[in-house]
Amino acid sequence: MNSLDWAVLIGYFGVMVAIGVWSHKRVDDVGDFFTAGGRMPWWLSGISHHMSGYSAVMFTGYAGIAYQYGITSYVTWSFPIAIGIAIGARLFAGRLNRLRSRLHVASPLEYLKSRYNLPTQQALAWSGVLLKIVDVGAKWAAIATLLSVFTGLTLNQGILITGAVTGVYCTVGGLWADALTELGQFVIQLLAGVAMLVAVLAELGGVSALWTVWDRLPDSHAHPTVGPYTLTFLLAYLFIKTFEYSGGMWNQAQRYMATRSAHEARRSARLSAVLWFVWPTVLFFPMWAAPLLVKAEKPDASDSYALLTEHLLPHGLLGLVIVGFFSHTMAMCSSDANAISAVFTRDIAPALPKLGARARSWSHRAGLLAARLSTVAFLALSMAVATQVNSPTFKDIITVVIKWVAGLVGPVSIPFLLGMVPRFRRSGPTAALVSWAAGLFAFWLTNYGLTGVQLQVQIVAPVATSLVLYVLIGRLKPEDTPERDAVLARINPDDGGGDGDGTDGAYGEDGAYGEDGGGAGRADAAARPPTSCNRSARR
């Protein structure tokens, strides 16, 4: 990198901070901080959902897979994500939006206390927070790895720089800052991705290289599934990503909650699905062709894309591509930080023995301060984990992302997401807690208790175990009650089909609970301070 590249990078950091400061004016309380007050346009939500779904791991871990195996990197990664989001658009997006518009919650997990009970809510909240600390730690390590290739900074220095900049804008501006910076990051990524594609095509002989390059690459590069990434792995990944990217990892759920209505939440999901289907092909082609242009130095080829950019791009454009790397990681990490902060301040803190009474009576100002402080704490913990991501415990970045995250997301997300669907109304606290605990045990058993377990088994066993037990226990030990049925009624479409505008008839013009709707949710809502979600609904 020269002075021009540094200028681009520093300018990018400056713009991100400026957006955060500007977004600060739109944040009055925790409702604005966590769900944008329910005023986010569907197209901004969709772009934000897309950008918050992947990070610089694509340019390290998945670049290595693309370098070694070819198009399977797309077929077994972004393609199943696109399909999973499309499925989630139908099943979950609208219901997640009604958590805000009808139950007036600011955290995705707030409804679990009424849907199940307090222990279930706390189990999912604590385990999900711990999982996200590890997940985001892997993302910091990925971007720091790229930064070290270009600048010579150490891993820890790179983690500190990116974490600090992200912390400033997402702590000050909340979800509005996340979404607006992700829009800017999407534009930067678009320019950088196209620039890289053009540079690779020019090096390989022009546009015709799109279809002629395969003759010069290994035969396996054109196979949709190869190596450890088999058809079984693809189906397992589709199964997992449907839950993860439909809201199971919480940050995507917030994007649906932030839109004005259930209809707009589904439009947001469909836009994200289209972007996942199309855009990664532009980003992946240079990675597929990389063996013809550079020789990877690391055994897993995770440095191949960084070497490719240094080899092909002039200064200035090189800085733009590096900014593109940052945009991915900062988008995902800031959105995760906001989601975890929501879960801590709205779900965990009110249940803590000494802090709980104060947390339940926080004023708007105190709640907002707690949200910002918990965001900083989460970022600091994840950055600390990032320094250990290549230790024997985690092995490497791609292991954390594929095995840890994919393996653990099921036990956390299945009771959360399926708990909103009437078909699973009989599954109560017992089903939720047993499926959660058994899923975690299945993760430990297949990853550490047994040897020689195939990759697809390692990632699918936890989520499959959780799903089967959640459904089976609900049938054998039904725990549906009128109060739990009332919660389900509020977050599902009316019998008359009113599903589009978030003001479905029986719930009144402001989306509040009807006079005859059960007491559990109303009691919870009355116990906490009003949020901007309430105010915006009544305007």
Side-chain angles (χ1 to χ4, degrees), residues 1-292:
M1 290 177 62
N2 67 3
S3 57
L4 182 58
D5 298 318
W6 277 108
V8 173
L9 184 59
I10 293 172
Y12 165 74
F13 284 156
V15 170
M16 295 302 102
V17 172
I19 290 176
V21 173
W22 181 86
S23 300
H24 178 73
K25 301 175 183 178
R26 305 188 65 129
V27 178
D28 294 327
D29 55 32
V30 292
D32 293 329
F33 193 82
F34 294 135
T35 62
R39 300 188 300 273
M40 188 177 293
W42 68 268
W43 56 268
L44 179 58
S45 171
I47 291 173
S48 178
H49 184 283
H50 173 75
M51 285 297 295
S52 65
Y54 56 104
S55 69
V57 172
M58 178 175 183
F59 301 103
T60 52
Y62 283 104
I65 295 173
Y67 184 94
Q68 297 175 84
Y69 298 110
I71 66 170
T72 193
S73 59
Y74 170 81
V75 173
T76 61
W77 180 61
S78 58
F79 177 71
I81 290 175
I83 300 300
I85 294 173
I87 294 171
R90 174 72 177 175
L91 290 178
F92 304 119
R95 292 181 169 98
L96 286 166
N97 179 268
R98 294 188 199 97
L99 292 181
R100 176 198 58 77
S101 64
R102 293 183 176 181
L103 301 189
H104 306 310
V105 301
S107 158
L109 300 191
E110 278 188 81
Y111 95 103
L112 293 178
K113 184 178 177 182
S114 298
R115 174 60 180 85
Y116 301 110
N117 57 19
L118 181 62
T120 302
Q121 181 200 45
Q122 294 302 297
L124 297 181
W126 278 104
S127 57
V129 166
L130 294 175
L131 169 60
K132 264 306 175 186
I133 289 174
V134 175
D135 179 29
V136 173
K139 308 303 191 302
W140 293 134
I143 191 60
T145 299
L146 288 170
L147 192 61
S148 67
V149 172
F150 293 110
T151 67
L153 293 173
T154 66
L155 182 71
N156 291 348
Q157 289 171 333
I159 292 168
L160 179 61
I161 291 172
T162 52
V165 173
T166 304
V168 170
Y169 77 77
C170 75
T171 302
V172 171
L175 191 64
W176 272 117
D178 290 348
L180 292 173
T181 53
E182 284 158 0
L183 176 61
Q185 289 157 354
F186 178 73
V187 174
I188 292 170
Q189 178 202 100
L190 182 68
L191 297 174
V194 171
M196 189 64 184
L197 177 64
V198 170
V200 168
L201 290 177
E203 189 75 7
L204 294 175
V207 177
S208 62
L210 289 172
W211 54 87
T212 61
V213 71
W214 306 102
D215 294 334
R216 290 178 275 170
L217 290 167
D219 291 340
S220 61
H221 255 55
H223 295 170
T225 56
V226 65
Y229 306 103
T230 62
L231 178 60
T232 305
F233 176 90
L234 168 61
L235 296 176
Y237 214 60
L238 171 60
F239 182 49
I240 292 165
K241 293 302 174 182
T242 299
F243 288 101
E244 180 181 349
Y245 280 75
S246 294
M249 291 298 272
W250 307 343
N251 58 322
Q252 286 91 358
Q254 285 182 299
R255 272 65 188 165
Y256 299 148
M257 293 171 68
T259 58
R260 295 184 177 94
S261 67
H263 173 66
E264 290 204 0
R266 289 194 299 275
R267 294 181 72 186
S268 164
R270 288 193 288 266
L271 173 59
S272 181
V274 170
L275 291 174
W276 272 103
F277 183 75
V278 175
W279 179 242
T281 60
V282 176
L283 298 179
F284 266 131
F285 183 83
M287 303 178 194
W288 297 332
L292 301 176

Side-chain angles (χ1 to χ4, degrees), residues 231-508:
L231 178 60
T232 305
F233 176 90
L234 168 61
L235 296 176
Y237 214 60
L238 171 60
F239 182 49
I240 292 165
K241 293 302 174 182
T242 299
F243 288 101
E244 180 181 349
Y245 280 75
S246 294
M249 291 298 272
W250 307 343
N251 58 322
Q252 286 91 358
Q254 285 182 299
R255 272 65 188 165
Y256 299 148
M257 293 171 68
T259 58
R260 295 184 177 94
S261 67
H263 173 66
E264 290 204 0
R266 289 194 299 275
R267 294 181 72 186
S268 164
R270 288 193 288 266
L271 173 59
S272 181
V274 170
L275 291 174
W276 272 103
F277 183 75
V278 175
W279 179 242
T281 60
V282 176
L283 298 179
F284 266 131
F285 183 83
M287 303 178 194
W288 297 332
L292 301 176
L293 301 172
V294 296
K295 181 173 178 59
E297 298 175 2
K298 292 188 175 183
D300 62 355
S302 61
D303 59 343
S304 59
Y305 196 82
L307 295 172
L308 192 64
T309 58
E310 284 193 317
H311 175 65
L312 292 180
L313 296 181
H315 292 293
L317 278 180
L318 176 61
L320 186 65
V321 170
I322 295 172
V323 164
F325 297 158
F326 278 98
S327 70
H328 284 285
T329 300
M330 295 172 74
M332 173 171 276
C333 294
S334 63
S335 66
D336 282 332
N338 188 272
I340 295 304
S341 177
V343 170
F344 177 80
T345 57
R346 305 293 289 182
D347 304 313
I348 293 177
L352 294 176
K354 294 183 179 180
L355 182 61
R358 293 175 57 191
R360 288 191 293 271
S361 60
W362 274 334
S363 64
H364 293 316
R365 184 175 181 180
L368 193 53
L369 177 61
R372 287 175 168 143
L373 290 176
S374 59
T375 301
V376 172
F378 169 76
L379 290 172
L381 288 171
S382 64
M383 289 160 64
V385 168
T387 64
Q388 306 299 317
V389 78
N390 287 318
S391 70
T393 302
F394 300 120
K395 294 185 180 179
D396 52 44
I397 294 169
I398 201 64
T399 296
V400 174
V401 173
I402 289 183
K403 293 171 66 173
W404 274 61
V405 177
L408 290 172
V409 68
V412 175
S413 65
I414 282 178
F416 165 52
L417 290 175
L418 296 188
M420 298 185 295
V421 181
R423 184 180 296 273
F424 303 103
R425 56 187 288 270
R426 295 183 177 181
S427 296
T430 303
L433 284 173
V434 171
S435 67
W436 166 80
L440 296 182
F441 177 75
F443 170 78
W444 174 84
L445 184 65
T446 55
N447 282 273
Y448 300 101
L450 302 174
T451 59
V453 180
Q454 293 182 322
L455 178 62
Q456 52 263 37
V457 175
Q458 290 177 323
I459 66 171
V460 80
V463 67
T465 300
S466 295
L467 178 62
V468 170
L469 288 176
Y470 183 80
V471 175
L472 184 61
I473 294 174
R475 295 292 180 183
L476 298 177
K477 189 180 184 300
E479 296 179 299
D480 48 317
T481 66
E483 291 78 15
R484 290 174 184 144
D485 287 346
V487 173
L488 283 173
R490 295 180 192 120
I491 57 179
N492 281 278
D494 295 338
D495 293 338
D499 191 36
D501 59 4
T503 59
D504 312 62
Y507 299 91

